[in-house]
Amino acid sequence: GTGPAQKGGLMLGDNIFSINDCLVETVEDWNHCLQKEMTDQQSGFCVSKEFIKQENSAVENYENLNCCNNTTGNLCFRHSDAKSKQLMCLPARKVAENSIICSENRDCRDDLCLIPVLLSESERFLKIQRVLKKPVLYLGTIQEVFASVAVSPWTSESTSVQYIDMYEIFLGYIFAFSSGLAVMNVIPFFYLDGQFLTECVVHNYLSSCIPKVSQRSSIIFNLKMIGSLIGCLSMCATLLKMFL
């Protein structure tokens, strides 16, 4: 099928609110819904018997569950009841757009619950609903959706959410960098603020216990050595994670 981010699929700025019957309000919801579709059985659609009679164009002698004989826009469907072996070739968009999601016949009242027939267990037929736009129908693997579609919690009518995401990431890096510097400045590291902080603490609070300046200076030096060693090891570990 056509990829979800290709022509005719999702467009930049689309506001998604559901995947099949799974509501999407956050990025976490999007990931959860895709994971749910990956692990659960393929969802079906409630279709009326009259619609099936009018639109069914299944060929008689089909092979490998290909009852539509590669007809463009059509898809093979089966009954949710495993006892029925009949396959129906129906227009996929008409079925998906005008039907509610189901898993068995009792979800559909007077209609029948029809399940899309997929040629691979890893494939899924998804109905991705968008605000004020027609739903996007996708036939393929969930992994391709994860790989080709990026979602954002931001929506904007005046500018692309792409720049907002970049700004959010930029602020995150600034926060992480500032937090790292704050921690480094507290550690008794040579030539950093932590060195002077350690000297002030030791000389002001340990002078009554350790009256000799030389002893306090020795303690300060040892603390700075330990702090510098910890700081160097932390930076080395960070660099190794970046390049390995």
Side-chain angles (χ1 to χ4, degrees):
T2 301
Q6 296 177 4
K7 184 178 180 181
L10 294 172
M11 303 294 293
L12 186 65
D14 282 347
N15 193 350
I16 300 169
F17 66 87
S18 72
I19 301 175
N20 287 350
D21 61 343
C22 185
L23 294 179
V24 176
E25 295 181 346
T26 64
V27 177
E28 290 74 20
D29 290 342
W30 167 265
N31 294 328
H32 167 73
C33 290
L34 289 179
Q35 290 286 354
K36 180 176 179 293
E37 291 297 329
M38 185 186 299
T39 55
D40 292 353
Q41 295 294 323
Q42 171 65 52
S43 301
F45 300 91
C46 294
V47 183
S48 67
K49 297 177 182 178
E50 292 76 13
F51 180 85
I52 296 174
K53 289 181 180 179
Q54 293 176 1
E55 301 290 345
N56 185 17
S57 59
V59 296
E60 294 183 0
N61 298 318
Y62 55 83
E63 296 181 357
N64 299 325
L65 303 178
N66 185 15
C67 68
C68 292
N69 198 22
N70 298 322
T71 306
T72 303
N74 286 7
L75 188 65
C76 285
F77 291 84
R78 63 174 176 83
H79 289 280
S80 59
D81 185 359
K83 296 179 181 179
S84 177
K85 303 299 182 181
Q86 180 187 4
L87 296 183
M88 291 145 285
C89 179
L90 301 172
R93 179 162 289 278
K94 284 186 179 180
V95 171
E97 287 185 351
N98 303 317
S99 306
I100 62 173
I101 303 296
C102 63
S103 58
E104 52 188 20
N105 285 331
R106 65 181 180 180
D107 298 331
C108 301
R109 296 184 180 179
D110 298 329
D111 296 335
L112 297 176
C113 183
L114 301 185
I115 312 293
V117 176
L118 307 176
L119 301 181
S120 171
E121 293 184 0
S122 62
E123 286 187 336
R124 289 294 183 271
F125 182 67
L126 303 181
K127 177 183 177 182
I128 304 175
Q129 294 273 34
R130 302 177 293 176
V131 175
L132 301 178
K133 289 184 178 181
K134 288 185 176 181
V136 171
L137 304 182
Y138 169 71
L139 177 60
T141 63
I142 300 296
Q143 288 84 351
E144 184 179 350
V145 182
F146 274 120
S148 59
V149 178
V151 295
S152 168
W154 303 100
T155 57
S156 174
E157 296 180 356
S158 58
T159 185
S160 172
V161 296
Q162 179 182 5
Y163 300 108
I164 300 176
D165 284 336
M166 292 172 59
Y167 183 64
E168 183 181 20
I169 294 172
F170 177 67
L171 290 180
Y173 278 123
I174 291 178
F175 176 78
F177 187 71
S178 300
S179 301
L181 285 179
V183 173
M184 288 294 295
N185 276 331
V186 173
I187 296 175
F189 203 100
F190 283 107
Y191 306 113
L192 293 182
D193 292 343
Q195 167 184 332
F196 305 107
L197 180 63
T198 303
E199 292 175 356
C200 291
V201 170
V202 172
H203 285 307
N204 290 331
Y205 292 97
L206 297 182
S207 57
S208 58
C209 301
I210 307 174
K212 290 186 177 181
V213 177
S214 59
Q215 291 179 339
R216 295 200 300 270
S217 298
S218 178
I219 293 174
I220 292 171
F221 179 79
N222 289 329
L223 289 175
K224 287 192 288 187
M225 285 292 294
I226 295 172
S228 299
L229 180 61
I230 293 174
C232 290
L233 290 176
S234 299
M235 287 188 288
C236 290
T238 302
L239 291 174
L240 286 174
K241 286 184 179 180
M242 289 176 60
F243 295 105
L244 294 181

